[in-house]
């Protein structure tokens, strides 16, 4: 109840509005593109920033500082480790491969993939005498160089250089 000259502040209502707004922004960042989800890390970072800001505003400055330091430790330590492990263990890569019109080039490309035990999940045609490949498996980072060495291949371009 309000009396003349006083204002009641309800921190839980403020926090609820922040949660609603950040949820809306985070959902807008998360997109799906050809079966792959992108933006989860960015959405999580926005949630984390909101939580740090709310903790600082609530007077929990030490907690906000500790969480901020932990964030940077995790990002700086685990991000390179994750990239290293993903490249060595398993992953996927999307490639646009162009080749001469000579017969048998596509079968040699597929044989090279089979030799390295890469799984082919998508095979599509490109308008410039080429194919779109989505490959998965271990050691997939070497796929562009390996396919570029196949006789008759004129170009290989990686389509998904960004990871999230």
């Amino acid at each position: 109840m309000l009396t003349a000259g006083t204002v009641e502040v309800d921190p839980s209502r403020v926090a609820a509005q922040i949660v609603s707004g950040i949820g809306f922004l985070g959902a807008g960042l998360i997109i799906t593109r050809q079966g792959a989800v992108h933006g989860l890390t960015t959405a999580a970072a926005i949630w984390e920033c909101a939580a740090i800001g709310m903790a600082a505003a609530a007077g929990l400055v030490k907690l906000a500082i500790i969480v901020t330091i932990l964030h940077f430790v995790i990002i700086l330590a685990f991000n390179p480790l994750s990239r290293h492990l993903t490249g060595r263990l398993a992953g996927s890569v999307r490639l646009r491969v162009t080749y001469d019109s000579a017969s048998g080039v596509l079968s040699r490309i597929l044989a090279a993939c089979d030799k390295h035990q890469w799984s082919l999940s998508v095979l599509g045609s490109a308008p410039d005498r080429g194919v779109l490949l989505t490959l998965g498996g271990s050691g997939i980072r070497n796929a562009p160089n390996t396919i570029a060495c196949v006789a008759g291949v004129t170009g290989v371009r990686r389509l998904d250089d960004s990871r999230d």
Side-chain angles (χ1 to χ4, degrees):
M1 191 164 158
L2 292 176
T3 59
T6 64
V7 175
E8 283 189 37
V9 177
D10 187 3
S12 64
R13 293 179 73 184
V14 173
Q17 295 305 313
I18 293 172
V19 167
S20 297
I22 297 301
F24 180 77
L25 291 174
L29 286 171
I30 300 170
I31 60 168
T32 307
R33 183 175 45 211
Q34 294 185 355
V37 178
H38 297 277
L40 284 176
T41 307
T42 307
I46 289 176
W47 270 104
E48 181 186 22
C49 289
I52 291 169
M54 288 192 318
L60 303 170
V61 178
K62 287 182 185 178
L63 177 65
I65 291 171
I66 290 170
V67 172
T68 302
I69 292 169
L70 285 175
H71 169 78
F72 284 109
V73 167
I74 290 170
I75 292 298
L76 295 175
F78 289 120
N79 206 9
L81 178 65
S82 171
R83 284 192 188 130
H84 179 69
L85 291 176
T86 302
R88 288 184 58 200
L89 297 176
S92 67
V93 64
R94 291 180 53 230
L95 302 173
R96 175 182 288 235
V97 181
T98 55
Y99 55 90
D100 291 332
S101 59
S103 63
V105 177
L106 186 56
S107 63
R108 287 194 295 269
I109 293 170
L110 296 177
C113 294
D114 189 44
K115 177 182 173 186
H116 290 86
Q117 296 180 342
W118 295 327
S119 63
L120 177 67
S121 60
V122 176
L123 174 65
S125 63
D128 54 354
R129 268 191 264 149
V131 292
L132 300 173
L133 302 173
T134 301
L135 302 172
S138 63
I140 201 69
R141 280 190 170 183
N142 299 326
N145 294 334
T146 302
I147 292 176
C149 293
V150 172
V153 172
T154 59
V156 177
R157 190 177 80 183
R158 189 175 179 150
L159 298 178
D160 59 341
D161 286 334
S162 64
R163 291 186 193 185
D164 192 35

